């Protein structure tokens, strides 16, 4: 199986107000997010690619227009946890690129959430 990954960055705020008051994520705060999308294929296309990285530019546009420097509580229908965001990005990508196999979201350099069906 061949796999490619591409990384995207954005900054945003959020608040998980359903958590106990003393939980740090219950307070309004922000992160510098990293989103990684993974695509996989058993065979390569005629150019030797799983998919041309340039084809993934619409994800950059979507992230910039919808998430960058925004309050995530205003743009997501579910709590803006890294886990829910990973699922959201996976679904968005899978609808466009059938080779999508996973999406990862990082809120900090030491924390990652992944959605892989």
């Amino acid at each position: 199986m061949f796999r490619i990954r591409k990384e995207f960055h954005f900054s945003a705020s959020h608040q998980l107000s359903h958590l106990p008051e003393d939980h740090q994520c219950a307070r309004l705060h922000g992160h510098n997010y990293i989103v990684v999308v993974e695509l996989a294929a058993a065979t390569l296309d005629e150019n030797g690619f799983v998919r041309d990285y340039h084809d993934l530019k619409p994800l950059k546009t979507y992230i910039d227009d919808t998430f960058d420097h925004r309050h995530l509580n205003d743009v997501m229908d579910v709590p803006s946890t890294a886990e829910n965001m990973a699922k959201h990005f996976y679904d968005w990508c899978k609808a466009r690129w059938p080779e999508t196999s996973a999406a990862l979201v990082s809120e900090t350099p030491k924390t990652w959430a992944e959605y892989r069906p």
Side-chain angles (χ1 to χ4, degrees):
M1 185 66 65
F2 296 95
R3 295 183 192 281
I4 63 166
R5 290 182 175 184
K6 185 157 176 136
E7 183 174 296
F8 303 87
H9 296 244
F10 71 97
S11 298
S13 66
H14 75 149
Q15 183 174 17
L16 301 176
S17 55
H18 64 281
L19 296 175
E21 269 184 35
D22 61 341
H23 194 289
Q24 64 186 10
C25 291
R27 297 186 299 269
L28 178 62
H29 63 286
H31 296 286
N32 294 314
Y33 288 91
I34 299 172
V35 175
V36 177
V37 62
E38 178 184 276
L39 288 76
T43 59
L44 302 176
D45 69 13
E46 63 278 358
N47 296 313
F49 298 144
V50 169
R51 177 168 290 274
D52 190 331
Y53 288 111
H54 181 74
D55 292 348
L56 304 180
K57 188 174 181 180
L59 178 55
K60 170 78 171 125
T61 301
Y62 175 65
I63 288 171
D64 288 349
D65 292 349
T66 308
F67 295 92
D68 193 35
H69 287 83
R70 301 283 302 272
H71 183 57
L72 298 180
N73 297 56
D74 295 339
V75 297
M76 295 195 63
D77 294 333
V78 296
S80 54
T81 63
E83 294 87 343
N84 282 332
M85 293 174 66
K87 173 78 163 71
H88 176 85
F89 287 118
Y90 173 86
D91 291 343
W92 193 92
C93 292
K94 188 71 170 179
R96 287 151 183 82
W97 308 300
E99 310 91 342
T100 301
S101 57
L104 298 90
V105 173
S106 172
E107 292 181 336
T108 74
K110 296 181 180 183
T111 61
W112 288 88
E114 176 180 13
Y115 182 79
R116 180 185 302 270

